[in-house]
Amino acid sequence: MSWTDERIETLRKMWDSGLTATQIAEELGGVSRNAVIGKAHRLGLASRPSPVKANAPEAKATPTAPAAAPASAPAPAPRPAAPAPRAAAPAAPAAPPAEASDADDTPPAPRPDGPVLRSVGPGGFIRQNPGEQAPPIAPAPPRRLVPAKPSKEIEGKTTLLDLNDRICKWPLGHPGEPDFHFCGDKVNPGFPYCVEHCGHAYQAQLPRRDRRPPPPLPYGGPRVR
DNA sequence: CCCTGATTCGC
DNA sequence: GCGAATCAGG
């Protein structure tokens, strides 16, 4: 397989939205995770939490902890690297014309104002008080991605290919399901999610004693594949 | 061991 | 440019 424009585009977006190289490789097909990583680097992407931080063993058919852990990564990429040519070649069969005007990420500058939202480390999403506990917390880790083909169900929805640096990447539904899509709202500057979903993703750390010990399943429950 | 990404280096 | 092999960390 070769790196066509579309495949590169998909790679960019998947990599960008925090999927692992393995997942990306599986989705693209015909390439190894090494190939994906290599390509990502050559594209100037890369530099995400490298030796995976909290991401738990979710290996095969074990959807577990949310992978959404952008946290604070103030260290973008020291290396100049290639500016990543953004020669957007149309060619997309019927893919919605996602705006491709994005360039490179803006280094996530923590908002200097307002109440500082503390990101809890990956793997652990700190809950609020039991009272305000919202049941369905769930940055479901996109394990399997919906095919990049537009379908009736996702028409008008934000799909993987619509992701860019300024729209909310909060997943709605479960990957693989026909209507799986992303929030798509305007992001809270500096974060991968909109303001609302940042509120879900990042919550103030509470003293342990005040926390609910038995954290319910973060989402619907294990998905059977 | 499993997983992850990073890097190297022959092709 | 590509990606397997290798390295390094959790």
Side-chain angles (χ1 to χ4, degrees):
Chain A
M1 277 299 231
S2 60
W3 287 106
T4 64
D5 260 13
E6 287 180 35
R7 288 167 65 79
I8 291 176
E9 185 71 358
T10 303
L11 163 59
R12 279 181 172 284
K13 287 176 173 169
M14 292 181 77
W15 185 268
D16 201 44
S17 56
L19 297 174
T20 68
T22 300
Q23 291 172 322
I24 299 173
E26 285 178 6
E27 179 65 24
L28 288 174
V31 288
S32 66
R33 73 177 193 90
N34 285 312
V36 168
I37 293 173
K39 184 60 179 176
H41 283 210
R42 284 189 297 273
L43 281 172
L45 309 178
S47 290
R48 279 193 290 153
S50 70
V52 170
K53 296 286 182 188
N55 201 7
E58 59 178 76
K60 314 288 185 189
T62 312
T64 20
S72 54
R79 310 176 213 49
R86 203 140 202 5
E99 54 172 321
S101 55
D102 64 308
D104 274 10
D105 299 24
T106 310
R111 323 192 65 202
D113 60 315
V116 177
L117 295 178
R118 275 279 161 263
S119 159
V120 305
F125 280 75
I126 306 308
R127 277 20 178 216
Q128 302 172 309
N129 286 319
E132 35 191 35
Q133 172 69 275
I137 269 178
R143 180 91 247 291
R144 208 86 217 182
L145 296 182
V146 63
K149 61 158 201 290
S151 66
K152 245 191 314 201
E153 289 84 352
I154 62 174
E155 217 168 12
K157 306 279 185 60
T158 301
T159 70
L160 175 66
L161 293 181
D162 296 322
L163 293 179
N164 65 42
D165 292 336
R166 48 181 134 345
I167 71 173
C168 179
K169 296 181 175 66
W170 189 269
L172 298 174
H174 295 283
E177 286 176 0
D179 66 337
F180 174 63
H181 61 286
F182 296 89
C183 168
D185 267 352
K186 185 183 47 152
V187 297
N188 185 3
F191 293 91
Y193 308 122
C194 66
V195 175
E196 178 192 340
H197 287 133
C198 272
H200 287 283
Y202 310 108
Q203 297 178 13
Q205 170 79 265
L206 294 174
R208 248 182 299 200
R209 41 133 48 75
D210 295 335
R211 252 186 276 155
R212 240 284 185 5
L217 285 177
Y219 49 92
R223 297 191 47 71
V224 191
R225 300 179 44 76

